[in-house]
Amino acid sequence: MVGDALHRVRSVADHASSNQFPQKRGVMTSTQPIALLGLGAMGSRMAARLLAAGHDVVGWNRSPAPLQWLRTQGGRTAASPREAVAGARVVFSMVRDDEASRSVWLDADHGAAAALDTGAIGVECSTLSPAWIEELAASLAVPLVDAPVAGSRSQAEAGQLIFMAGGPHEAVQRVTPLLLQMGSDVHAVGANGSGSALKLAVNSLFAAQVAVMAEQLAALAHQQVALPVALAALKAMPVTSPAAAGAAAAMLAGAYAPQFPVQLMAKDLAYALAAGGQRLPLTESILARFQAAREAGLGDEHVVALHKLYR
């Protein structure tokens, strides 16, 4: 599903300002509304970036507090996804899982799909299963781009998210300037479902590093090795990625406040296993560790809370 060539899409708005799309073939401008469905930890930060860029943002969220926040920031709010997308030229979704995405887009009473304008583009930024993305793309009357993100809350605030975009080439090009107002890079990776497949691979690789680091720090502590000294040495070696080093530092600092909760990583690993098309024994083992952490009551804590399993 992921194309042979992973290529970076730079802004196609070289001849336009950072707050405006190119004026051709019906491409949307900054004066036309943008809908954002899901204003949680990531969606709210994405909305803030779009508002700061001067866009008219209409938001919807299942719980009311984020809607109040959006109004204080100058955005508009809607009572349902269907109401939010009326008149919008691009619709972003950032929700928890396949079930939430299905409800937001296709619910018979309030789903966004029934109110999408001709010429609009849907952009699903949630971490979802490729199978659901393909089903959703086939269900919509407008183009869909699946553009999940690499990065967490701090990257979203700083506009440093990395988007992995799957979908029709022209649709990806048209939304790239908007994505670059919320992130630093956009990678076009193929047809619908490709972005989601790559995101699941990214999260699986990260989960593997977190799980191994938690285990090895426990082993080093058992052998009376000073962990700060060990981490300083590990960071100097090419075997330790920046992600692994950051996870280890968070473990030693006890930084368990949720940036990427354990339960969401378990969900993503389960999606990765279902999408793999064959048995993935290492991913199964890693998922088992995150399931153990969730069962130990750590589901709402940051993924590095895996370290607590070894205490």
Side-chain angles (χ1 to χ4, degrees):
M1 192 181 301
V2 177
D4 293 334
L6 177 65
H7 60 282
R8 180 172 298 174
V9 177
R10 293 300 185 185
S11 173
V12 295
D14 293 338
H15 55 288
S17 74
S18 62
N19 290 342
Q20 185 171 333
F21 287 90
Q23 296 299 298
K24 61 180 182 179
R25 302 188 68 178
V27 178
M28 39 286 198
T29 71
S30 63
T31 60
Q32 296 171 300
I34 296 168
L36 208 158
L37 309 177
L39 297 170
M42 296 296 289
S44 61
R45 288 163 171 82
M46 292 165 64
R49 297 291 304 184
L50 293 172
L51 287 167
H55 295 289
D56 176 15
V57 177
V58 183
W60 170 85
N61 195 70
R62 194 175 303 276
S63 58
L67 297 175
Q68 181 179 353
W69 167 84
L70 184 63
R71 288 190 291 269
T72 67
Q73 301 302 306
R76 296 188 288 131
T77 61
S80 70
R82 186 167 297 176
E83 179 182 315
V85 306
R89 303 302 290 171
V90 62
V91 178
F92 289 98
S93 170
M94 180 58 99
V95 295
R96 179 185 179 89
D97 53 24
D98 285 6
E99 182 180 0
S101 177
R102 182 181 294 275
S103 176
V104 160
W105 290 105
L106 301 183
D107 181 85
D109 296 323
H110 61 70
L116 292 170
D117 277 10
T118 301
I121 296 178
V123 186
E124 182 54 91
C125 294
S126 317
T127 303
L128 306 173
S129 71
W132 162 241
I133 288 295
E134 293 173 6
E135 180 183 344
L136 177 60
S139 301
L140 298 182
V142 304
L144 176 72
V145 175
D146 52 300
V149 304
S152 191
R153 302 179 190 191
S154 58
Q155 288 79 24
E157 288 176 358
Q160 294 296 312
L161 296 172
I162 298 173
F163 290 88
M164 293 153 274
H169 178 68
E170 184 178 357
V172 173
Q173 284 191 315
R174 287 177 64 193
V175 300
T176 289
L178 269 183
L179 298 179
L180 289 174
Q181 289 176 345
M182 298 181 286
S184 58
D185 285 298
V186 179
H187 294 275
V189 296
N192 278 130
S194 300
S196 294
L198 183 58
K199 173 60 187 296
L200 294 177
V202 169
N203 281 7
S204 296
L205 288 167
F206 179 48
Q209 294 174 76
V210 171
V212 171
M213 188 59 76
E215 190 169 279
Q216 290 305 312
L217 289 180
L220 289 169
H222 178 74
Q223 297 170 83
Q224 306 301 313
V225 177
L227 295 186
V229 174
L231 179 56
L234 287 170
K235 289 170 66 175
M237 301 178 194
V239 296
T240 308
S241 72
M251 291 174 191
L252 297 190
Y256 303 129
Q259 294 290 319
F260 185 0
V262 164
Q263 59 186 335
L264 291 186
M265 180 63 89
K267 179 263 295 184
D268 294 348
L269 290 167
Y271 284 168
L273 285 172
Q278 58 187 313
R279 188 173 175 221
L280 304 174
L282 291 179
T283 306
E284 290 174 0
S285 297
I286 297 161
L287 172 58
R289 298 310 297 150
F290 281 91
Q291 289 173 328
R294 185 175 58 192
E295 291 165 4
L298 306 176
D300 292 329
E301 298 191 30
H302 190 35
V303 289
V304 299
L306 236 63
H307 183 52
K308 292 184 176 181
L309 294 178
Y310 298 93
R311 290 181 175 176

Short mmCIF file of all heavy atoms in Angstrom, two decimals, residues 37 62 81-82 93 95-113 124 126 128-129 131-136 139-140 271:
data_model
loop_
_atom_site.label_atom_id
_atom_site.label_comp_id
_atom_site.label_asym_id
_atom_site.label_seq_id
_atom_site.Cartn_x
_atom_site.Cartn_y
_atom_site.Cartn_z
N LEU A 37 -13.00 18.71 13.28
CA LEU A 37 -13.84 17.81 14.06
C LEU A 37 -12.97 17.06 15.07
O LEU A 37 -12.15 16.24 14.70
CB LEU A 37 -14.54 16.82 13.13
CG LEU A 37 -15.27 17.44 11.94
CD1 LEU A 37 -15.87 16.36 11.05
CD2 LEU A 37 -16.34 18.42 12.40
N ARG A 62 -17.03 16.51 21.03
CA ARG A 62 -18.08 15.77 21.75
C ARG A 62 -18.36 16.40 23.11
O ARG A 62 -19.51 16.47 23.54
CB ARG A 62 -17.65 14.32 21.91
CG ARG A 62 -18.78 13.39 22.33
CD ARG A 62 -18.30 11.95 22.36
NE ARG A 62 -17.76 11.53 21.08
CZ ARG A 62 -18.53 11.08 20.07
NH1 ARG A 62 -19.84 11.04 20.21
NH2 ARG A 62 -17.96 10.71 18.94
N PRO A 81 -21.04 17.52 13.91
CA PRO A 81 -20.13 17.50 12.77
C PRO A 81 -20.81 17.99 11.49
O PRO A 81 -20.21 18.71 10.69
CB PRO A 81 -19.72 16.03 12.67
CG PRO A 81 -19.87 15.50 14.05
CD PRO A 81 -21.06 16.22 14.61
N ARG A 82 -22.06 17.61 11.31
CA ARG A 82 -22.79 18.01 10.09
C ARG A 82 -22.91 19.52 10.02
O ARG A 82 -22.72 20.12 8.95
CB ARG A 82 -24.15 17.34 10.06
CG ARG A 82 -24.93 17.56 8.78
CD ARG A 82 -26.12 16.62 8.71
NE ARG A 82 -25.68 15.23 8.67
CZ ARG A 82 -26.49 14.18 8.69
NH1 ARG A 82 -27.81 14.37 8.75
NH2 ARG A 82 -26.03 12.96 8.64
N SER A 93 -10.34 16.04 10.61
CA SER A 93 -10.83 15.24 11.73
C SER A 93 -9.64 14.75 12.53
O SER A 93 -8.65 14.28 11.96
CB SER A 93 -11.65 14.05 11.20
OG SER A 93 -11.94 13.13 12.25
N VAL A 95 -9.66 12.45 15.85
CA VAL A 95 -10.41 11.75 16.90
C VAL A 95 -9.64 10.52 17.36
O VAL A 95 -8.54 10.24 16.89
CB VAL A 95 -11.82 11.39 16.42
CG1 VAL A 95 -12.65 12.65 16.16
CG2 VAL A 95 -11.78 10.53 15.16
N ARG A 96 -10.25 9.75 18.24
CA ARG A 96 -9.53 8.72 18.97
C ARG A 96 -9.27 7.44 18.17
O ARG A 96 -8.17 6.89 18.20
CB ARG A 96 -10.31 8.38 20.24
CG ARG A 96 -9.68 7.30 21.10
CD ARG A 96 -10.58 6.96 22.26
NE ARG A 96 -10.01 5.91 23.08
CZ ARG A 96 -9.19 6.11 24.11
NH1 ARG A 96 -8.86 7.34 24.43
NH2 ARG A 96 -8.71 5.11 24.81
N ASP A 97 -10.29 6.94 17.46
CA ASP A 97 -10.16 5.62 16.86
C ASP A 97 -11.14 5.46 15.70
O ASP A 97 -11.87 6.40 15.34
CB ASP A 97 -10.37 4.52 17.91
CG ASP A 97 -11.68 4.68 18.69
OD1 ASP A 97 -12.63 5.31 18.16
OD2 ASP A 97 -11.77 4.17 19.81
N ASP A 98 -11.16 4.25 15.11
CA ASP A 98 -12.04 3.98 13.97
C ASP A 98 -13.49 4.26 14.31
O ASP A 98 -14.24 4.83 13.50
CB ASP A 98 -11.90 2.52 13.54
CG ASP A 98 -10.62 2.23 12.78
OD1 ASP A 98 -9.75 3.12 12.67
OD2 ASP A 98 -10.46 1.08 12.30
N GLU A 99 -13.92 3.82 15.47
CA GLU A 99 -15.32 3.98 15.85
C GLU A 99 -15.70 5.45 15.92
O GLU A 99 -16.77 5.85 15.42
CB GLU A 99 -15.57 3.30 17.20
CG GLU A 99 -17.01 3.38 17.67
CD GLU A 99 -17.23 2.69 19.00
OE1 GLU A 99 -16.25 2.15 19.56
OE2 GLU A 99 -18.38 2.70 19.48
N ALA A 100 -14.84 6.26 16.54
CA ALA A 100 -15.13 7.70 16.63
C ALA A 100 -15.13 8.34 15.25
O ALA A 100 -15.96 9.21 14.95
CB ALA A 100 -14.12 8.37 17.55
N SER A 101 -14.20 7.93 14.41
CA SER A 101 -14.14 8.47 13.05
C SER A 101 -15.39 8.11 12.27
O SER A 101 -15.97 8.95 11.55
CB SER A 101 -12.89 7.95 12.34
OG SER A 101 -12.84 8.40 11.00
N ARG A 102 -15.83 6.87 12.37
CA ARG A 102 -17.05 6.45 11.67
C ARG A 102 -18.24 7.30 12.10
O ARG A 102 -19.06 7.73 11.27
CB ARG A 102 -17.33 4.98 11.93
CG ARG A 102 -18.56 4.44 11.21
CD ARG A 102 -18.80 2.97 11.54
NE ARG A 102 -17.73 2.12 11.03
CZ ARG A 102 -17.68 1.64 9.80
NH1 ARG A 102 -18.65 1.96 8.93
NH2 ARG A 102 -16.69 0.86 9.43
N SER A 103 -18.35 7.55 13.40
CA SER A 103 -19.45 8.35 13.91
C SER A 103 -19.38 9.78 13.38
O SER A 103 -20.39 10.35 12.94
CB SER A 103 -19.43 8.35 15.43
OG SER A 103 -20.44 9.19 15.95
N VAL A 104 -18.20 10.37 13.42
CA VAL A 104 -18.03 11.76 12.99
C VAL A 104 -18.40 11.95 11.52
O VAL A 104 -19.07 12.91 11.14
CB VAL A 104 -16.58 12.21 13.25
CG1 VAL A 104 -16.23 13.43 12.41
CG2 VAL A 104 -16.40 12.54 14.73
N TRP A 105 -17.99 10.99 10.69
CA TRP A 105 -18.21 11.15 9.25
C TRP A 105 -19.55 10.59 8.79
O TRP A 105 -20.23 11.21 7.95
CB TRP A 105 -17.09 10.47 8.48
CG TRP A 105 -15.76 11.13 8.56
CD1 TRP A 105 -14.69 10.72 9.29
CD2 TRP A 105 -15.34 12.32 7.87
NE1 TRP A 105 -13.62 11.57 9.11
CE2 TRP A 105 -14.00 12.56 8.25
CE3 TRP A 105 -15.96 13.19 6.98
CZ2 TRP A 105 -13.26 13.64 7.76
CZ3 TRP A 105 -15.24 14.27 6.49
CH2 TRP A 105 -13.90 14.50 6.88
N LEU A 106 -19.97 9.42 9.28
CA LEU A 106 -21.05 8.69 8.64
C LEU A 106 -22.30 8.48 9.49
O LEU A 106 -23.24 7.84 9.02
CB LEU A 106 -20.53 7.31 8.17
CG LEU A 106 -19.35 7.32 7.19
CD1 LEU A 106 -19.02 5.89 6.77
CD2 LEU A 106 -19.66 8.18 5.96
N ASP A 107 -22.32 8.98 10.71
CA ASP A 107 -23.51 8.79 11.54
C ASP A 107 -24.74 9.31 10.80
O ASP A 107 -24.73 10.38 10.19
CB ASP A 107 -23.35 9.54 12.86
CG ASP A 107 -24.54 9.34 13.77
OD1 ASP A 107 -24.58 8.35 14.51
OD2 ASP A 107 -25.45 10.20 13.73
N ALA A 108 -25.82 8.53 10.86
CA ALA A 108 -27.02 8.87 10.09
C ALA A 108 -27.65 10.18 10.52
O ALA A 108 -28.27 10.88 9.71
CB ALA A 108 -28.04 7.74 10.22
N ASP A 109 -27.49 10.55 11.78
CA ASP A 109 -28.14 11.76 12.29
C ASP A 109 -27.26 13.00 12.24
O ASP A 109 -27.76 14.10 11.96
CB ASP A 109 -28.60 11.53 13.73
CG ASP A 109 -29.66 10.45 13.83
OD1 ASP A 109 -30.50 10.37 12.91
OD2 ASP A 109 -29.62 9.68 14.80
N HIS A 110 -25.96 12.84 12.53
CA HIS A 110 -25.12 14.04 12.64
C HIS A 110 -23.82 13.95 11.85
O HIS A 110 -22.97 14.84 11.93
CB HIS A 110 -24.80 14.34 14.11
CG HIS A 110 -24.05 13.24 14.82
ND1 HIS A 110 -22.75 12.94 14.53
CD2 HIS A 110 -24.43 12.39 15.80
CE1 HIS A 110 -22.34 11.95 15.30
NE2 HIS A 110 -23.35 11.59 16.08
N GLY A 111 -23.61 12.89 11.09
CA GLY A 111 -22.34 12.71 10.39
C GLY A 111 -22.05 13.79 9.37
O GLY A 111 -22.95 14.32 8.71
N ALA A 112 -20.77 14.10 9.23
CA ALA A 112 -20.34 15.19 8.35
C ALA A 112 -20.56 14.89 6.88
O ALA A 112 -20.77 15.81 6.08
CB ALA A 112 -18.86 15.48 8.60
N ALA A 113 -20.50 13.62 6.49
CA ALA A 113 -20.50 13.27 5.07
C ALA A 113 -21.70 13.84 4.34
O ALA A 113 -21.59 14.28 3.19
CB ALA A 113 -20.45 11.75 4.90
N GLU A 124 -8.40 13.28 7.18
CA GLU A 124 -8.48 12.49 8.41
C GLU A 124 -7.09 12.37 9.01
O GLU A 124 -6.23 11.67 8.47
CB GLU A 124 -9.08 11.12 8.11
CG GLU A 124 -9.28 10.24 9.32
CD GLU A 124 -10.08 10.90 10.43
OE1 GLU A 124 -11.31 10.77 10.46
OE2 GLU A 124 -9.42 11.52 11.30
N SER A 126 -6.48 11.49 12.24
CA SER A 126 -6.45 10.54 13.34
C SER A 126 -5.60 9.33 12.97
O SER A 126 -5.39 9.04 11.80
CB SER A 126 -7.87 10.09 13.67
OG SER A 126 -8.78 11.17 13.67
N LEU A 128 -5.66 5.73 12.51
CA LEU A 128 -6.75 4.80 12.27
C LEU A 128 -6.25 3.60 11.48
O LEU A 128 -5.11 3.57 11.02
CB LEU A 128 -7.87 5.50 11.51
CG LEU A 128 -8.39 6.79 12.14
CD1 LEU A 128 -9.38 7.48 11.20
CD2 LEU A 128 -9.03 6.52 13.49
N SER A 129 -7.10 2.62 11.30
CA SER A 129 -6.72 1.45 10.52
C SER A 129 -6.81 1.78 9.03
O SER A 129 -7.72 2.48 8.59
CB SER A 129 -7.62 0.27 10.85
OG SER A 129 -8.92 0.46 10.34
N ALA A 131 -7.75 -0.11 6.67
CA ALA A 131 -8.99 -0.66 6.13
C ALA A 131 -10.15 0.32 6.29
O ALA A 131 -10.97 0.51 5.38
CB ALA A 131 -9.33 -1.98 6.80
N TRP A 132 -10.21 0.97 7.47
CA TRP A 132 -11.28 1.95 7.68
C TRP A 132 -11.08 3.17 6.77
O TRP A 132 -12.05 3.70 6.21
CB TRP A 132 -11.36 2.38 9.14
CG TRP A 132 -12.12 3.68 9.31
CD1 TRP A 132 -11.65 4.84 9.81
CD2 TRP A 132 -13.48 3.93 8.93
NE1 TRP A 132 -12.62 5.81 9.77
CE2 TRP A 132 -13.75 5.27 9.23
CE3 TRP A 132 -14.48 3.14 8.35
CZ2 TRP A 132 -14.99 5.86 8.99
CZ3 TRP A 132 -15.72 3.71 8.09
CH2 TRP A 132 -15.97 5.06 8.42
N ILE A 133 -9.85 3.61 6.59
CA ILE A 133 -9.60 4.75 5.71
C ILE A 133 -10.07 4.44 4.29
O ILE A 133 -10.70 5.27 3.62
CB ILE A 133 -8.11 5.12 5.71
CG1 ILE A 133 -7.72 5.77 7.05
CG2 ILE A 133 -7.76 6.05 4.55
CD1 ILE A 133 -8.38 7.11 7.32
N GLU A 134 -9.78 3.26 3.81
CA GLU A 134 -10.21 2.89 2.47
C GLU A 134 -11.73 2.86 2.38
O GLU A 134 -12.33 3.30 1.38
CB GLU A 134 -9.61 1.54 2.08
CG GLU A 134 -8.10 1.59 1.91
CD GLU A 134 -7.50 0.21 1.69
OE1 GLU A 134 -8.26 -0.77 1.55
OE2 GLU A 134 -6.26 0.12 1.66
N GLU A 135 -12.38 2.34 3.41
CA GLU A 135 -13.84 2.32 3.43
C GLU A 135 -14.41 3.74 3.46
O GLU A 135 -15.37 4.05 2.75
CB GLU A 135 -14.34 1.53 4.64
CG GLU A 135 -15.86 1.45 4.74
CD GLU A 135 -16.34 0.73 5.99
OE1 GLU A 135 -15.53 0.02 6.62
OE2 GLU A 135 -17.53 0.88 6.33
N LEU A 136 -13.82 4.59 4.28
CA LEU A 136 -14.29 5.98 4.38
C LEU A 136 -14.12 6.70 3.05
O LEU A 136 -15.02 7.42 2.60
CB LEU A 136 -13.53 6.70 5.49
CG LEU A 136 -13.86 8.18 5.68
CD1 LEU A 136 -15.34 8.37 6.01
CD2 LEU A 136 -12.98 8.79 6.77
N SER A 139 -16.77 5.95 0.78
CA SER A 139 -18.09 6.37 1.24
C SER A 139 -18.35 7.86 1.01
O SER A 139 -19.51 8.29 1.02
CB SER A 139 -18.26 6.07 2.74
OG SER A 139 -18.11 4.69 3.00
N LEU A 140 -17.30 8.64 0.85
CA LEU A 140 -17.46 10.08 0.71
C LEU A 140 -17.63 10.48 -0.75
O LEU A 140 -17.04 9.88 -1.65
CB LEU A 140 -16.24 10.80 1.30
CG LEU A 140 -15.97 10.63 2.79
CD1 LEU A 140 -14.75 11.44 3.21
CD2 LEU A 140 -17.18 11.00 3.63
N TYR A 271 -4.10 -2.13 15.76
CA TYR A 271 -4.39 -1.80 14.36
C TYR A 271 -3.26 -2.28 13.45
O TYR A 271 -3.50 -2.79 12.35
CB TYR A 271 -4.55 -0.30 14.19
CG TYR A 271 -5.87 0.28 14.67
CD1 TYR A 271 -6.03 1.66 14.80
CD2 TYR A 271 -6.95 -0.53 14.99
CE1 TYR A 271 -7.21 2.22 15.22
CE2 TYR A 271 -8.16 0.01 15.42
CZ TYR A 271 -8.28 1.39 15.53
OH TYR A 271 -9.47 1.95 15.96
#
